């Protein structure tokens, strides 16, 4: 189990809800993703795509294929589970009093594809303006909102997706 997904910080009613969400997230990983996470040298780095929302892709560091971006930072995502919340041991730490300690997670599959999971956050997770009804696939340009924090998902390895979603990224 991922150490970022512990539930000891929650009171008992929310802890059970969190554990159910965690079980769904871990089940969604799949054998190939688990293998790559446990054997990082087994898979070569993913190759870059030529064109994907060019102005956003150019902001990603070399060797980074998946990221979340906001106006202040670029958050590199690894293959496997990437926890997001305000606790300092999350993969993506957001210093915001309204963001849950463990708010959501982005699952990056080893083969292809990514999805966002809410992990029983108090205020919910939104994808392109709609509250997550469950795990949802991600594509370049998707906006993940946690309270007032907006993160844009970028993927160098997928085919270009003609999406706008009303997202403007300041350079």
């Amino acid at each position: 189990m991922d150490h970022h997904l512990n539930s000891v910080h929650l009171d008992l009613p929310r802890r059970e809800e969190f554990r159910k969400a965690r079980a769904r997230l871990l089940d969604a990983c799949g054998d190939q993703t688990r293998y790559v996470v446990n054997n990082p040298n087994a898979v070569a780095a993913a190759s870059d795509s030529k064109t994907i929302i060019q102005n956003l892709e150019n902001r990603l560091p070399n060797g980074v294929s998946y990221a979340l971006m906001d106006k202040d930072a670029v958050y590199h995502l690894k293959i496997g589970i990437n926890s997001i919340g305000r606790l300092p041991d999350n993969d993506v730490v957001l210093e915001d009093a309204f963001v849950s300690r463990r708010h959501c997670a982005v699952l990056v599959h080893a083969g292809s594809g990514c999805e966002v999971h809410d992990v029983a956050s108090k205020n919910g997770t939104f994808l392109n303006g709609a509250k997550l009804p469950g795990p949802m696939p991600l594509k370049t340009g998707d906006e993940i909102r946690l309270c007032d924090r907006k993160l844009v998902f970028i993927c160098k390895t997928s085919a270009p997706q003609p999406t706008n979603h009303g997202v403007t990224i300041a350079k």
Side-chain angles (χ1 to χ4, degrees):
M1 176 182 354
D2 191 296
H3 72 282
H4 294 134
L5 297 176
N6 66 51
S7 58
V8 295
H9 63 281
L10 298 171
D11 58 8
L12 287 177
R14 285 206 51 230
R15 186 178 300 169
E16 190 56 36
E17 185 181 344
F18 180 91
R19 287 179 176 168
K20 288 177 185 175
R22 177 182 60 203
R24 287 190 302 271
L25 174 60
L26 293 172
D27 286 345
C29 283
D31 293 335
Q32 186 177 9
T33 299
R34 280 189 207 98
Y35 178 78
V36 170
V37 168
N38 293 327
N39 302 287
N41 296 326
V43 177
S47 62
D48 290 340
S49 178
K50 289 183 182 175
T51 55
I52 300 171
I53 307 179
Q54 193 68 36
N55 62 334
L56 294 176
E57 182 185 278
N58 288 340
R59 293 181 58 197
L60 292 182
N62 287 336
V64 174
S65 295
Y66 302 96
L68 293 173
M69 302 172 91
D70 64 13
K71 61 184 168 75
D72 300 320
V74 175
Y75 305 96
H76 172 246
L77 301 175
K78 66 186 184 308
I79 292 176
I81 297 170
N82 297 271
S83 62
I84 304 168
R86 67 172 201 268
L87 283 178
D89 67 344
N90 282 300
D91 297 299
V92 176
V93 178
L94 301 176
E95 295 180 16
D96 184 315
F98 296 105
V99 171
S100 294
R101 289 173 270 198
R102 304 263 188 248
H103 200 102
C104 67
V106 172
L107 173 57
V108 177
H109 292 283
S112 65
C114 300
E115 53 198 56
V116 62
H117 293 250
D118 184 88
V119 287
S121 66
K122 198 168 203 170
N123 295 313
T125 303
F126 294 79
L127 181 63
N128 300 322
K131 189 169 184 174
L132 284 181
M136 295 293 292
L138 290 170
K139 62 186 176 302
T140 294
D142 280 347
E143 180 186 271
I144 301 170
R145 184 171 54 84
L146 300 80
C147 302
D148 290 332
R149 295 296 298 263
K150 294 179 182 178
L151 301 167
V152 177
F153 176 76
I154 305 299
C155 172
K156 280 189 179 180
T157 59
S158 67
Q161 299 286 334
T163 60
N164 186 342
H165 307 299
V167 176
T168 304
I169 301 295
K171 277 204 162 196

